[in-house]
Amino acid sequence: MLATILHAEGLVKRFPVRDGYVQALAGVDLVVRRGEFVAIMGSSGSGKSTLLHLLGGLERPSAGRVLLDGMDLGRLSDRELTLLRRRKIGFVFQFFNLIPTLTAHENIILPLLIDGKRPAEQARMLELLVRLLRLEGVLDHRPDQLSGGEQQRVAIARALLTQPDVIMADEPTGNLDHASGMELLEHLWSSCAHLGRTIVMVTHEAKAAIFADRVVLLQDGLVIDQVPLGRDKPRDNARPLIARLQELGL
Ligand SMILES: Nc1ncnc2c1ncn2[C@@H]1O[C@H](COP(=O)(O)OP(=O)(O)OP(=O)(O)O)[C@@H](O)[C@H]1O
Ligand SMILES: [Mg+2]
């Protein structure tokens, strides 16, 4: 049995709004094991991004707790949390979050620089990612000189470069053409299967979710089902997932 790397218990998240609050998560329990590839699906507004932000310590829950590698994130100060994120988690956000004044290359290596590491330490990984994500021609472009798909690929390279324990990705293929999306998923899948990375990926596409070992289904801030998928290729198990998604109207 693989060791637990992420453990969420009774996660509730409420956002204050003008006349009360919005409850984005209503009590989520989730266990992710080291080396697992988990997809999170659910309709728009079901709480997927919120769950990812809490799992990654970007936001704090209103109730419940998150254990990352046995560490209770709620017990860490903001500064400790920042350090932990930088060292252990690679994020690919829904809206990229690139620094507008830096080039693509500078954006990719930024996490290394912030952590006081020399980019040369990861030169081979950088080369591999730039080739895989086809960023050779745009490394000296700033974000406003990149297409949406290129911005997304830069964000992915940045998240993968430090080879973090856990990669958290919010719709990572949303802006990619079909072929690049599949290539990226293959890469995520093999970084899990062969390098022991753990991946939590939010997606609304079944064709992306079938790369995962397990699909967690969210509705109104609750986990309503978990669909295990095989790890072997080809993924014959797409059919049960698609059937379940259709039942749920997703
Ligand atoms: N900062 C916030 N302030 C107020 N409400 C919020 C905030 N962030 C999220 N919400 C609300 O919480 C709910 C869940 O949002 P969340 O972004 O997690 O959904 P999602 O499943 O990621 O949706 P999508 O597929 O559209 O990205 C939504 O109703 C949303 O409007
Ligand atoms: Mg979202």
Side-chain angles (χ1 to χ4, degrees), residues 43-50 52-53 94-95 170-171 202:
S43 54
S44 181
S46 58
K48 304 181 297 295
S49 296
T50 304
L52 207 65
H53 294 165
Q94 199 166 7
F95 302 106
D170 202 341
E171 302 277 5
V202 168

Side-chain angles (χ1 to χ4, degrees), residues 1 8 27 35 38 40 53 56 61 107 121 174 178 180 187-188 194 211 214 242 247:
M1 195 54 139
V38 172
I40 299 174
H53 294 165
N107 266 288
E121 286 172 33
H178 179 77
S180 318
H187 181 72
L188 287 178
H194 304 308
F211 281 81
R214 175 160 53 106
I242 289 165
E247 272 170 34

